[in-house]
Amino acid sequence: METALGEGSFFSGHMTGFVLYDLDSQRVMYEKNSQIRFTPASVTKLFTLFSSILILNDSTQTLRYVPAGDTLKIWGAGDPSWKYLDLPSPDFQKFLAPYKVIQFSDANMKSTPFGDGWQWDDYAYYYSAERSSLPIYGNLIHVYPGKNNPKVSPSRFQSSVFKTERELKDMERDFHENEFYYNPLTYRGREDYLPFITSPELLMELASDETRKTWIYQPDSLPENHQLWRGNALFPLLKEMMLESDNFLAEQLMMMVSDRLFGELDSERAIEYMIKTYLSDLPDEPIWVDGSGLSRYNLFTPRTMVSLFEKLYRVVPDEMLYELLPTGGVSGTIKTNYQAATPYIFAKTGTMSNNHSLVGLIKTKSGKTYCFSFMNSNYPWKASVIRREMEKVLISVRDNF
């Protein structure tokens, strides 16, 4: 291992941390720079997964509500699954059926649409959709494939699609407005998803269209005598977040954790609570800022990642855990990496510019299952180069431990 990761190896040219941990004997088999903090990117979602399973159990937090005659007063509780991709959606039609008017408040929303340390120029990409108390369509518009006169949904955005002479290959949103532009001469016409700027007024329009009810915005505080609707199964959201590394789901999951704990949507407060309670015994206190890992402020050590993963390993049944983890050569974000006749890597990836990490389980030819954390920062190459060299190290572990 020292030859593969030590002085003179490929990994000596940038920051690399590695831990190999025997889950049975609870013994570290090898470590290098395990105490150094790295930018984790999406392996942050392991913290979100742990928090969600412990706090939310098996259901989403969808609405807090108070019936008032033919009016239903509601406060969103962070559930991201209403008409989002192919995920199961809460049955709003049935739930709202007895009421004529839906009165919506976002007074319980304390977090901002973007998290601390998110890159401002990610605003135009699907992986940086805004956070909100009651999302619909994942706070995204769907751009359908086709080069001529591109169609979008929800249909109310069709009138906000304009031609431009700027050399754009794909449709792009204006920074300040929900206006979308494409160049007919250079447009590739591929299917895409673009974030829209959220607002209570826009939600009233979209929700009214979707439910055929009258929605009005009335930002009242949440009263004590309210009820809670847990409208959906949690597991499909966890699986989508983990396999596809879905940032939007991760952020909304932490919103729901906050709602469950405090009755308000404040992911920063939920993170602080988790660190002080269930995660107080980690080897190094995590600098944990958001649910998704989009923030450049997150910093975790490899040994903390192993310790967190061991907590997951002890809490989550094996069958469920393996279903949640991307599998090398088979599923998720490592479907095309770590390929083998018998899968041996089951792990969460984390990638952003100059940072790539992998944390999870490795099955060796001796029949053992180890937990590992492999973190890299400050390298100048493409992530594919790092992954190729990481694979050589992990194959060596598989064959020799």
Side-chain angles (χ1 to χ4, degrees):
M1 289 291 291
E2 198 55 46
T3 302
L5 291 170
E7 198 66 36
S9 73
F10 169 84
F11 293 96
S12 65
H14 63 271
M15 284 179 58
T16 294
F18 186 89
V19 178
L20 185 67
Y21 179 77
D22 187 332
L23 290 159
D24 294 330
S25 66
Q26 299 183 326
R27 190 163 61 95
V28 174
M29 307 301 293
Y30 178 84
E31 62 181 320
K32 176 184 174 65
N33 294 332
S34 65
Q35 80 289 359
I36 292 178
R37 287 181 168 84
F38 291 80
T39 301
S42 281
V43 296
T44 303
K45 293 181 176 72
L46 289 168
F47 280 84
T48 299
L49 177 66
F50 179 74
S51 304
S52 301
I53 289 172
L54 259 63
I55 305 300
L56 299 176
N57 302 126
D58 62 354
S59 303
T60 61
Q61 303 278 110
T62 304
L63 295 177
R64 294 182 181 269
Y65 65 96
V66 176
D70 64 358
T71 297
L72 184 67
K73 299 180 179 181
I74 66 170
W75 291 256
D79 190 338
S81 53
W82 190 14
K83 296 293 179 179
Y84 182 47
L85 302 179
D86 295 325
L87 289 171
S89 185
D91 193 345
F92 275 84
Q93 297 288 7
K94 181 178 179 181
F95 185 78
L96 302 178
Y99 307 98
K100 292 182 179 179
V101 177
I102 313 303
Q103 182 178 301
F104 170 76
S105 172
D106 60 356
N108 59 331
M109 179 70 175
K110 306 302 180 184
S111 291
T112 54
F114 284 172
D116 289 346
W118 290 15
Q119 296 203 162
W120 73 266
D121 55 347
D122 283 344
Y123 80 92
Y125 298 100
Y126 74 92
Y127 56 77
S128 194
E130 293 187 3
R131 307 185 291 195
S132 64
S133 64
L134 182 57
I136 185 170
Y137 311 118
N139 293 338
L140 299 169
I141 72 161
H142 183 188
V143 183
Y144 293 101
K147 294 198 68 170
N148 300 317
N149 300 315
K151 297 290 186 283
V152 302
S153 73
S155 57
R156 68 143 340 263
F157 286 107
Q158 195 65 54
S159 61
S160 301
V161 176
F162 304 101
K163 296 178 181 178
T164 181
E165 294 182 356
R166 292 168 55 212
E167 292 189 12
L168 300 178
K169 291 182 179 180
D170 301 307
M171 193 177 292
E172 189 174 290
R173 198 198 81 209
D174 181 79
F175 185 57
H176 297 290
E177 305 286 344
N178 280 324
E179 296 177 350
F180 303 86
Y181 294 90
Y182 75 102
N183 184 328
L185 299 178
T186 56
Y187 185 60
R188 292 188 291 186
R190 65 171 188 164
E191 184 177 30
D192 205 355
Y193 291 88
L194 302 176
F196 56 74
I197 300 170
T198 59
S199 68
E201 295 75 21
L202 177 57
L203 176 61
M204 297 305 94
E205 289 185 44
L206 296 175
S208 295
D209 291 345
E210 185 62 46
T211 61
R212 301 188 184 279
K213 301 278 185 180
T214 299
W215 286 61
I216 58 174
Y217 178 54
Q218 183 68 42
D220 295 335
S221 298
L222 183 67
E224 291 289 333
N225 64 330
H226 67 271
Q227 301 175 60
L228 173 65
W229 180 36
R230 306 192 76 190
N232 217 352
L234 184 66
F235 185 77
L237 276 67
L238 299 179
K239 187 174 178 179
E240 182 76 9
M241 174 189 71
M242 290 295 292
L243 295 188
E244 303 304 323
S245 203
D246 190 303
N247 295 327
F248 173 70
L249 290 179
E251 293 300 332
Q252 295 296 141
L253 281 162
M254 288 308 301
M255 292 288 187
M256 290 191 290
V257 168
S258 174
D259 181 82
R260 187 74 173 163
L261 290 170
F262 311 117
E264 64 179 21
L265 281 71
D266 186 341
S267 61
E268 294 81 3
R269 185 180 176 190
I271 287 169
E272 183 180 2
Y273 173 86
M274 293 302 299
I275 290 174
K276 288 183 176 179
T277 55
Y278 297 100
L279 302 174
S280 62
D281 58 347
L282 294 175
D284 308 291
E285 183 174 342
I287 300 175
W288 177 20
V289 176
D290 65 0
S292 63
L294 277 171
S295 178
R296 289 273 179 173
Y297 298 158
N298 292 312
L299 287 174
F300 308 144
T301 66
R303 64 189 181 190
T304 283
M305 293 310 306
V306 162
S307 181
L308 172 73
F309 197 93
E310 184 178 20
K311 289 177 181 288
L312 273 168
Y313 185 78
R314 306 297 178 200
V315 167
V316 182
D318 284 358
E319 184 178 349
M320 179 179 173
L321 183 60
Y322 280 103
E323 194 173 346
L324 288 169
L325 291 172
T327 301
V330 176
S331 66
T333 50
I334 53 173
K335 186 175 183 177
T336 59
N337 307 115
Y338 310 103
Q339 298 181 5
T342 301
Y344 68 105
I345 296 290
F346 310 85
K348 181 72 195 77
T349 56
T351 307
M352 61 169 55
S353 299
N354 317 112
N355 297 274
H356 180 71
S357 296
L358 189 67
V359 177
L361 300 172
I362 181 168
K363 290 183 178 257
T364 66
K365 288 189 173 179
S366 68
K368 294 277 292 182
T369 299
Y370 295 96
C371 178
F372 73 94
S373 175
F374 203 161
M375 307 186 76
N376 295 274
S377 290
N378 301 338
Y379 55 80
W381 307 283
K382 291 182 178 180
S384 58
V385 176
I386 292 287
R387 282 194 296 267
R388 188 166 61 244
E389 296 299 324
M390 288 170 65
E391 185 172 14
K392 295 176 184 177
V393 175
L394 293 171
I395 287 173
S396 177
V397 172
R398 180 196 66 184
D399 294 347
N400 295 296
F401 278 84

